[in-house]
Amino acid sequence: MHSKYIRWENDRIRDADSLDDPMKPTVLLIACGALARELVQIVRLNQWGQIRVRCLSPALHQAPQKIPAAVRAEWEKSIGQYERIFVAYGDCGTGGKLDEVLEEFGIERLPGSHCYEFYAGADNFREIAETEAGTFYLTDFLVRHFERLIQKGLGLNNRPELKDLYFGNYRRLVYLAQTDDLELQQTASGHAAYLGLEYQYHFTGSRHVEARLKEHIVRRQVRPGLQELTND
């Protein structure tokens, strides 16, 4: 990701447009910061200049009850600025509260419960999950930020005895990888060893997320000049 195309706030992506596309963004994509890298890459590589990506802090996942209000706040700030707003979140532990907010404003989101399902695809994720209910999942983002979000976020660095409390019912760690990166694979394997879990690697890429964006955003754009973006 090149900083020329991205505005950063507090060490996180705030807004990102595609490459040098002069097209004024007409679609706002409010997204989880944990998806930022992949979403920005998808938008840029496809040159979807009509889409602006705005990412909320991934730290919201540590307090999922705050996600609906955060999404609502972004929507309210963007009223009248875009023809359409779309949300790249799952339910993400909000217990249906996020969907209540989106239904109130007539906003759609990516189908699925969480980013693991987004990346793996619904059928593939179901197959993986059914083989072992006690599975802890990592994505590229979580592998990179494991120390901050898991070790420090759960207090394991100061109280290692909490590890059994949080992870005692897990049997394996599955790394759902968006990139074929040997260093990240080795890091993920180390995280599994730290938690005392069996390690498995599944490459997912970002193709399922890209397909859903095409289905729910790009192919529903009917304005003249966007026809070339709706073709496979």
Side-chain angles (χ1 to χ4, degrees):
M1 296 182 298
H2 196 292
S3 59
K4 177 180 179 181
Y5 310 111
I6 300 171
R7 189 168 85 236
W8 293 83
E9 276 185 12
N10 300 325
D11 297 322
R12 63 185 176 90
I13 294 176
R14 177 61 181 176
D15 290 307
D17 299 326
S18 62
L19 292 169
D20 298 322
D21 195 323
M23 185 185 302
K24 183 181 184 298
T26 59
V27 178
L28 175 63
L29 181 59
I30 300 174
C32 173
L35 306 176
R37 183 185 296 260
E38 289 74 32
L39 289 176
V40 171
Q41 183 180 50
I42 290 169
V43 168
R44 290 184 61 211
L45 291 178
N46 285 279
Q47 296 186 347
W48 290 338
Q50 79 275 31
I51 298 176
R52 169 164 290 168
V53 180
R54 181 168 295 168
C55 294
L56 305 183
S57 171
L60 285 169
H61 279 287
Q62 295 176 309
Q65 71 276 9
K66 296 181 180 180
I67 293 175
V71 171
R72 177 193 289 270
E74 288 296 334
W75 178 85
E76 291 175 344
K77 288 191 295 186
S78 305
I79 293 175
Q81 299 180 39
Y82 301 90
E83 294 178 8
R84 186 171 176 223
I85 295 176
F86 190 83
V87 170
Y89 266 97
D91 177 74
C92 297
T94 68
K97 297 298 183 182
L98 176 59
D99 284 337
E100 290 178 8
V101 170
L102 300 184
E103 184 176 357
E104 178 182 351
F105 299 117
I107 300 174
E108 292 182 277
R109 68 170 175 86
L110 285 175
S113 299
H114 38 62
C115 60
Y116 313 126
E117 185 176 332
F118 295 165
Y119 285 130
D123 291 339
N124 290 336
F125 179 78
R126 188 180 305 111
E127 182 177 345
I128 294 171
E130 286 177 351
T131 62
E132 173 55 71
T135 300
F136 184 69
Y137 298 92
L138 293 180
T139 61
D140 283 9
F141 175 85
L142 290 174
V143 171
R144 293 188 180 98
H145 300 282
F146 184 88
E147 180 179 0
R148 176 169 61 87
L149 296 176
I150 305 300
Q151 292 177 291
K152 293 182 179 178
L154 297 179
L156 305 182
N157 55 331
N158 294 322
R159 297 185 59 190
E161 70 275 11
L162 292 176
K163 195 187 309 182
D164 288 338
L165 177 64
Y166 285 119
F167 297 96
N169 292 324
Y170 288 99
R171 296 291 176 266
R172 69 174 181 178
L173 182 150
V174 171
Y175 172 26
L176 301 173
Q178 287 68 70
T179 55
D180 185 13
D181 187 310
L182 181 58
E183 184 176 351
L184 284 180
Q185 292 175 40
Q186 293 172 338
T187 301
S189 179
H191 295 333
Y194 169 78
L195 296 175
L197 302 177
E198 173 192 346
Y199 172 70
Q200 289 187 11
Y201 169 81
H202 290 267
F203 177 78
T204 68
S206 302
R207 65 188 185 282
H208 294 291
V209 176
E210 182 175 357
R212 290 295 175 263
L213 292 179
K214 287 181 178 179
E215 176 184 357
H216 291 276
I217 299 180
V218 179
R219 287 175 178 160
R220 297 187 186 184
Q221 294 289 315
V222 295
R223 296 189 302 114
L226 288 183
Q227 184 61 43
E228 69 274 12
L229 296 178
T230 66
N231 297 326
D232 291 330

